[in-house]
Amino acid sequence: MLTNFLTLIPTLTAVQDTAEPTEIEAAVAAINGDMGMLWMLLSGILVFFMQAGFTLVETGMTRSKNAANIAMKNLLDICVGSITYWLVGYSLMYGETSNGWFFWSGLMQGEGADLFFQTMFAATAATIVSGAIAGRTKYSTYAIFSIVMTALIYPIAGGWQWQGSGWLTNLGFIDFAGSSVVHSVGGWAALVAAIMVGPRIGKFVDGKVFSIPGHNQILATLGVFILWLGWFGFNGGSQLAWGGADAIGASNVVLITNLAAAAGGLGALVTTWIWYGKPNLPQTLNGALAGLVSITAGCGNMTAVGAVVAGLIGGIIVVFSIEFIEKKLKIDDAIGAASVHGVAGVWGTIVIGLWGVDGDTGIGLFNGGGAGQLGVQALGSLAYAVWAVLLSYIVFKILKSTLGLRVTEEEETVGLDLSEHGEIAFPGKRDRG
């Protein structure tokens, strides 16, 4: 094989010597285009695999009697998201616009690697809500919200930044892979859902907060590893191209992503070790996820050191946020989704305005860029939070007034596996859920 290749070198050299520069450039561009398409497809496949990670995290961090229900919700998200985003979502996100706020180019837009990759993001936004309201929400109600999230809430807001002519794009807002566009929108929707559905039975009694531990922390840990892996496609694929400078850029994004995730996990680990007296596994898992969310917006605009600090702070913030939402606000977010995705999503967006870079140029408040970028990042974060909270509240309010949001007390006690699906995830007699 090597001998055959060596014999081709003179021929290749002769072709290069006789070809016009424009022909060579065209050939290189065609190869880069094909490689970019392949990179997006592979990245989209990795993001698809994140649905398995979400399933394991949500299942492991909640009670076993609701495991099949959670699996059904995650399966629903990818099924519904694939259809609704193809049907209307892509057009609402990447269609034509005259005002930078709303977009449309007709039904069933998008094709190939681009549509596939973007669809996976829409499904992720919906899945974030699932874990927060685990154990007490009607499956039919969740199904309707999943449709609205992937068809309307996420796509419209996504276009503000990623369509190219959105009002936030025109202001100079930066969100490379979706700390706000995907995670913050999903996180704030999760918080609204948790408030409106209400706490699980036994979570808050006489003003006291009682722990409802997950049934399998090994499943949750495996889920986080899967999500961590999938995030390389989530962030790296958002380069949307491969070859030359794009290959270098995407590679750096993957490296930056890994550093932030590691720092986030360590941040939560040390924080819980000091606060609780022992390192806490569920909080450390959420810290790693918070580190990933914290770098998602800035993975293309952050140095390695900046990424480590951003992830570290994100891992610390998420511990305090989970404690505050649960013990001070008395909101039952079963897996800490609002903190991991909403709060860390805001932090990941704003941090670009603190020490973000554009190439070798500092654009943050602390590295010579002034306060301008910080102001734009704060405005964008606020816009996505307001949009997610307002639209989610309207949808859940309508559902609460019609179908209802919550299963009965008896159904919740028995478990959603049996009451909603007529089956259980783990056959056999058990003494507790």
Side-chain angles (χ1 to χ4, degrees), residues 349-392:
T349 306
I350 290 177
V351 71
I352 298 171
L354 296 177
W355 54 77
V357 296
D358 183 4
D360 295 328
T361 304
I363 59 175
L365 180 66
F366 298 151
N367 60 357
Q373 191 68 49
L374 178 59
V376 172
Q377 296 303 117
L379 176 62
S381 298
L382 179 62
Y384 280 107
V386 170
W387 172 261
V389 168
L390 179 61
L391 268 292
S392 299

Side-chain angles (χ1 to χ4, degrees), residues 88-164:
V88 297
Y90 187 93
S91 186
L92 284 170
M93 192 164 176
Y94 291 104
E96 298 178 359
T97 183
S98 60
N99 52 32
W101 286 83
F102 298 101
F103 315 85
W104 184 252
S105 291
L107 297 173
M108 295 176 287
Q109 298 296 301
E111 59 183 11
D114 181 50
L115 175 59
F116 175 71
F117 182 72
Q118 301 298 342
T119 297
M120 297 304 105
F121 277 54
T124 298
T127 297
I128 292 169
V129 180
S130 170
I133 54 177
R136 73 270 201 199
T137 309
K138 289 184 176 180
Y139 189 73
S140 57
T141 298
Y142 179 79
I144 294 173
F145 181 79
S146 182
I147 293 172
V148 177
M149 173 64 95
T150 53
L152 297 173
I153 298 176
Y154 164 74
I156 292 174
W160 297 348
Q161 165 64 2
W162 287 346
Q163 189 266 359

